[in-house]
Amino acid sequence: MSTSERAGAQEFSAGGVVVSDGRVIVIVPVKRAADGSRVLGLPKGHPDGDETPEQAARREVTEETGVTGELIAELGDAHYHYERRGRSIAKAVRFFLFEYRSGDLADHDHEIEVARWMELGEAATTLTYEGEREIVSRAMSRGAADR
């Protein structure tokens, strides 16, 4: 197998950092990490059809958390690799900052085990993936703690 074959595919997703009063919404998906552990993360998913990244992020936030928010800013991309059926997948997730507007966390979809509020500072140190912890840190530096 060549290096390029081993490198595998590339994927793109979009997600949201929903903030209110110094807190951020975090999720625990039903789907576990490759090692079987629970994941604490941010809402995200693949664009549907010809959705823009912003539209996909907004939809994923609503589906996975049950809330809606006002788009404030783009926070940038988190990059990582994961393995699927022995192939390495390079993934980029573009995150957007949203300010909470309405909705109830109990209205999340079936793919999510738990959706809850967490202090921004705690999320920046306890989310499962380093890239998502960095995105929350970016949100904090943009003044999200004051929103």
Side-chain angles (χ1 to χ4, degrees):
M1 181 182 294
S2 74
T3 302
S4 63
E5 288 172 321
R6 270 195 310 264
Q10 292 192 345
E11 289 185 0
F12 177 81
S13 290
V17 178
V18 183
V19 298
S20 180
D21 298 325
R23 300 173 303 153
V24 61
I25 298 174
V26 297
I27 60 168
V28 176
V30 170
K31 187 175 180 181
R32 300 291 189 234
D35 65 3
S37 63
R38 294 173 83 193
V39 172
L40 181 65
L42 298 169
K44 62 186 169 296
H46 299 101
D48 283 345
D50 60 355
E51 276 184 324
T52 66
E54 295 91 341
Q55 291 167 331
R58 185 179 310 278
R59 179 183 49 76
E60 289 292 339
V61 162
T62 300
E63 290 176 0
E64 295 190 352
T65 70
V67 308
T68 60
E70 177 185 346
L71 179 64
I72 303 300
E74 182 178 316
L75 291 170
D77 294 358
H79 297 272
Y80 58 94
H81 287 81
Y82 71 94
E83 226 174 271
R84 182 190 307 137
R85 293 187 290 279
R87 292 181 61 198
S88 177
I89 310 292
K91 182 151 187 174
V93 183
R94 180 152 311 139
F95 282 98
F96 297 87
L97 178 63
F98 291 90
E99 186 170 345
Y100 170 82
R101 286 292 177 244
S102 64
D104 186 333
L105 292 176
D107 293 335
H108 62 78
D109 73 12
H110 67 280
E111 296 178 353
I112 304 303
E113 187 176 309
V114 176
R116 67 181 177 97
W117 290 102
M118 177 180 279
E119 295 297 320
L120 277 159
E122 182 182 359
T125 62
T126 61
L127 290 178
T128 300
Y129 300 116
E130 181 181 351
E132 292 187 6
R133 294 191 302 266
E134 170 61 29
I135 291 294
V136 170
S137 294
R138 289 183 202 169
M140 290 170 62
S141 69
R142 291 191 64 103
D146 300 330
R147 294 188 181 281

